[in-house]
Amino acid sequence: MQIETIVVSPFEVNCYLIWESPSRSAAIIDPGDEEDRIIERLEKNALHPAAILLTHGHGDHIAAVGPLKEKFHIPIYIGRHDAPLLLSPSANVSAIFGFEITCPPADHLLDDGAVIKIDNMTFNVISTPGHTAGGVCYLGGKHLFCGDTLFNGSIGRTDLPGGNFDKLIDSIDRNILTLPDEIICYPGHGPISSIGEERRNNPFLSGRRFV
């Protein structure tokens, strides 16, 4: 699995392009803005976009979804309970920050345990409510694309509408810290980490589940 990170928007969102040879069919995770830069990287890598996977529906993670869907005619995936956020600037909190961001409705609504296949790539969907009601992570092999659920040394904020600190900690404890230490974590913002590093060093998680 090959992964390229493109940091987009004033909110410095990590947009990920994921593909495997030889098909070069690609998943786009959280295209938060700057569709021209995303398209340029797709073309430079000779990739064929196949799907847009959203970890959650906040405005800073969806601003380029519409243009990319229009250009490539590819499906949008999101956690079932975050689907309404795509259509409402107030629900996706972009209005709070002075923007009016929406995108087309999702083509596929995801529940915990769903499996997405893109040619020879497989992504397992892990439900992680707490940052938003319908947040999900995508596990592809040893790579966990965790959105704003888990950061390097921190966790997602829970003070926005739909956030819940206890639910987020429970989601991480039950569904993320049960993964092997060697799983690499690709967050929605900031540098990558690993399950082992976060289990040992994250101040929000220290002393929690050990497997």
Side-chain angles (χ1 to χ4, degrees):
M1 185 175 286
Q2 299 184 65
I3 302 166
E4 179 167 334
T5 307
I6 309 169
V7 181
V8 299
S9 90
F11 296 96
E12 298 187 334
V13 173
N14 291 331
C15 170
Y16 297 105
L17 309 181
I18 308 103
W19 72 96
E20 285 190 355
S21 299
S23 75
R24 307 194 78 77
S25 291
I28 307 170
I29 294 185
D30 288 355
D33 203 355
E34 301 182 64
E35 62 272 10
D36 290 344
R37 287 183 57 217
I38 297 171
I39 292 168
E40 186 272 330
R41 297 310 303 172
L42 289 164
E43 292 176 345
K44 185 166 184 177
N45 287 303
L47 301 178
H48 310 293
I52 296 170
L53 310 183
L54 299 176
T55 61
H56 62 292
H58 278 161
D60 60 327
H61 288 249
I62 68 170
V65 169
L68 291 173
K69 182 174 177 62
E70 182 177 3
K71 180 175 178 63
F72 297 114
H73 307 289
I74 53 179
I76 302 166
Y77 293 76
I78 195 169
R80 181 175 303 278
H81 298 294
D82 266 19
L85 276 61
L86 304 183
L87 310 178
S88 169
S90 58
N92 68 38
V93 304
S94 60
I96 295 175
F97 295 96
F99 302 95
E100 294 288 327
I101 296 173
T102 61
C103 74
D107 300 283
H108 300 282
L109 304 183
L110 303 170
D111 297 307
D112 187 58
V115 177
I116 301 168
K117 292 187 178 293
I118 300 173
D119 280 355
N120 54 347
M121 296 189 297
T122 299
F123 297 93
N124 294 285
V125 176
I126 301 172
S127 178
T128 53
H131 177 64
T132 61
V136 298
C137 299
Y138 299 97
L139 180 64
K142 293 186 177 181
H143 309 277
L144 180 72
F145 300 93
C146 46
D148 290 4
T149 293
L150 180 64
F151 299 130
N152 187 323
S154 189
I155 61 173
R157 62 188 296 179
T158 56
D159 59 330
L160 296 171
N164 184 299
F165 178 82
D166 291 334
K167 284 186 178 180
L168 182 59
I169 291 295
D170 186 63
S171 292
I172 296 170
D173 193 36
R174 290 177 180 272
N175 297 333
I176 302 301
L177 294 186
T178 49
L179 297 172
D181 280 0
E182 62 269 22
I183 296 292
I184 303 170
C185 301
Y186 295 81
H189 307 265
I192 66 172
S193 183
S194 71
I195 295 296
E197 289 175 19
E198 297 313 306
R199 194 197 315 279
R200 291 186 296 269
N201 301 319
N202 192 311
F204 291 91
L205 308 177
S206 297
R208 299 192 70 84
R209 186 184 301 271
F210 290 84
V211 295

